Amino acid sequence: MPVHEPLTSPPITSEKDFYRTLHANQHEIYIVSFDEVEGLLDSLPARERAVVLDVWKQERRKLELSAGFYASGQDGLLLAKLVGALGGAGAQAYVRHYGGKPHIVLKGYAGRRALLTGTRYGVSHPKVVSLGLGRLAAQNAARSGGVLTIYLLTGYRVLDYFLSDQGTLTQLIGGLAADVVRVGVTVGAALGAEALLAAIPVMSVYAIGPLAVVFVVGLAVAVSLELLDQQFQFTPKLIRTLEELEADVSEELRDAKASVAATLGTLIRGQTRKLILTPR
Amino acid sequence: MTINLEMDEAKRTSTPGFVGGTALFAAAIAAALWAVLAGLVDLVGGFLRQAPGVTYHNHVPLLLGACIAMGPLAFVCLYGVVRRRFPSARAQRFALHCLLVGAVSMVALPFIAGPAVDSYARSAGYVVCSAASGQSRLYRWTAYVRPQAGACAESVLSRE
């Protein structure tokens, strides 16, 4: 039985192929600064601006919910796809080394499986990775889910900062810092639970186990952290601390400026007096 | 956390990674179970004693699914740490089945429990108090109150 190797992209053989590939990979990205977005919003006519802010008020909760659940939803879909591809939840898979490289060997009748029709695949085979089969693919799913959640939440927070009436920069930074910590803890817990499962002999041979545990632990920890945050108000406390820090630093700077100005004033007065009193 | 999979069970279950991971895992499940029980007691107790205001949180069925999924897995890990060997293959397979059932429950239960609670609350004479209901980033809560003057405002105050 041949061992499946990772697929590579089709080779570019002609100039036409080259330009087609180039056009297919063309993206237009606009990078705008905070000031530019603010300017863009300010430049809108009052009526249109009011409509934009109104739509944002109605949709912000949905967007926040979607950003928070997107990665878990993706893992859930992947899990459902994997069950379908394996022809059931009870399919077994284990890792064997062939030619010094790790491979996932699937047990059972290959004809019952829809997508994974081979009996063994390299751990980095596109089918294995895209379906979340095996430890490596489950770890990839957890990590990429975490990164994606940070991107989505950052986009949401920045939009919310511009489109909310009472948003401050400190709230934006505090909210983002809390999000990054929460996502980090969630991904860490999911990866840790996956490692625990891998150490259990019978449970680790089931192909669906690693992805299932990443999905369950990721979702449960994310919701639990949100509950803890609501209960103990960690994020508002962090924002308050940052605001106090900012106020303290501003006060220190004001005092320092005043002190420098006073010293300079004394020096200048002294020098002027010297100049006046010095006989020519 | 790294666990050498070539080790035998006794060594594997006594690595600091496995012991520490199991302790954290068990603590997380205990916390989730506490949240589920507190939510259930609050909801069911409120309905039973016909409280003027009852709140349904949709994280309760989600975390119930998580407890179904992770409880047996935590038991297998704890058993491994305490006894230096894992439970029987049958028990491990049962834990895996629970993991899958729990994963499905985490998605399905909130969709089933929400309408069920809503239907029961309305039949028991409660109405939704929108002012005291709300949503955080990952879950939402619905406040039900008796249709009497000021009940909704009281519910808002008690939440604050």
Side-chain angles (χ1 to χ4, degrees), chain A:
Chain A
M1 184 64 67
V3 174
H4 294 259
E5 287 303 327
L7 290 173
T8 52
S9 54
I12 297 168
T13 51
S14 64
E15 197 179 335
K16 206 176 157 189
D17 275 355
F18 172 73
Y19 281 111
R20 201 175 52 222
T21 313
L22 202 66
H23 284 301
N25 282 319
Q26 219 169 41
H27 303 282
E28 235 171 80
I29 299 170
Y30 295 94
I31 298 173
V32 285
S33 68
F34 276 17
D35 292 338
E36 282 166 337
V37 177
E38 215 157 13
L40 193 71
L41 277 172
D42 287 341
S43 68
L44 285 174
R47 206 171 146 195
E48 277 180 33
R49 193 179 149 81
V51 171
V52 169
L53 296 182
D54 197 38
V55 169
W56 177 249
K57 254 182 207 165
Q58 286 169 16
E59 301 298 325
R60 67 187 288 268
R61 282 296 179 195
K62 282 183 204 162
L63 203 73
E64 191 180 21
L65 201 71
S66 310
F69 272 123
Y70 189 82
S72 290
Q74 229 181 8
D75 286 348
L77 276 178
L78 203 58
L79 194 61
K81 261 192 210 171
L82 183 60
V83 172
L86 289 170
Q92 293 185 16
Y94 50 92
V95 177
R96 283 277 180 279
H97 286 77
Y98 294 102
K101 287 180 182 172
H103 288 81
I104 289 179
V105 179
L106 295 169
K107 281 179 82 177
Y109 182 50
R112 281 181 62 194
R113 296 194 289 266
L115 281 171
L116 297 161
T117 46
T119 53
R120 54 185 165 162
Y121 293 87
V123 288
S124 54
H125 189 283
K127 275 188 185 177
V128 167
V129 175
S130 66
L131 283 170
L133 178 63
R135 287 197 69 190
L136 191 71
Q139 287 166 358
N140 274 345
R143 281 197 202 104
S144 59
V147 172
L148 188 68
T149 306
I150 289 176
Y151 283 154
L152 290 174
L153 285 174
T154 305
Y156 162 76
R157 294 258 182 222
V158 171
L159 262 179
D160 197 37
Y161 168 68
F162 284 118
L163 298 173
S164 296
D165 296 337
Q166 293 141 351
T168 64
L169 193 60
T170 319
Q171 281 174 354
L172 172 68
I173 292 167
L176 280 177
D179 285 343
V180 169
V181 170
R182 272 191 293 206
V183 172
V185 171
T186 306
V187 172
L191 291 177
E194 190 278 323
L196 278 182
L197 183 103
I200 303 169
V202 176
M203 292 184 82
S204 60
V205 299
Y206 285 89
I208 205 169
L211 189 62
V213 87
V214 161
F215 168 70
V216 167
V217 174
L219 188 54
V221 170
V223 172
S224 304
L225 289 178
E226 179 70 19
L227 262 175
L228 284 175
D229 193 31
Q230 288 286 319
Q231 187 73 32
F232 299 104
Q233 299 284 303
F234 290 129
T235 307
K237 277 178 192 165
L238 177 68
I239 291 168
R240 262 203 304 280
T241 311
L242 283 175
E243 277 169 351
E244 281 168 15
L245 199 69
E246 190 197 5
D248 285 352
V249 169
S250 300
E251 202 175 317
E252 290 282 331
L253 275 175
R254 232 184 355 258
D255 289 352
K257 260 186 194 171
S259 160
V260 167
T263 315
L264 274 174
T266 315
L267 272 173
I268 290 167
R269 268 199 301 277
Q271 287 299 323
T272 317
R273 191 176 296 164
K274 262 186 194 171
L275 280 171
I276 293 168
L277 295 177
T278 310
R280 294 188 180 181

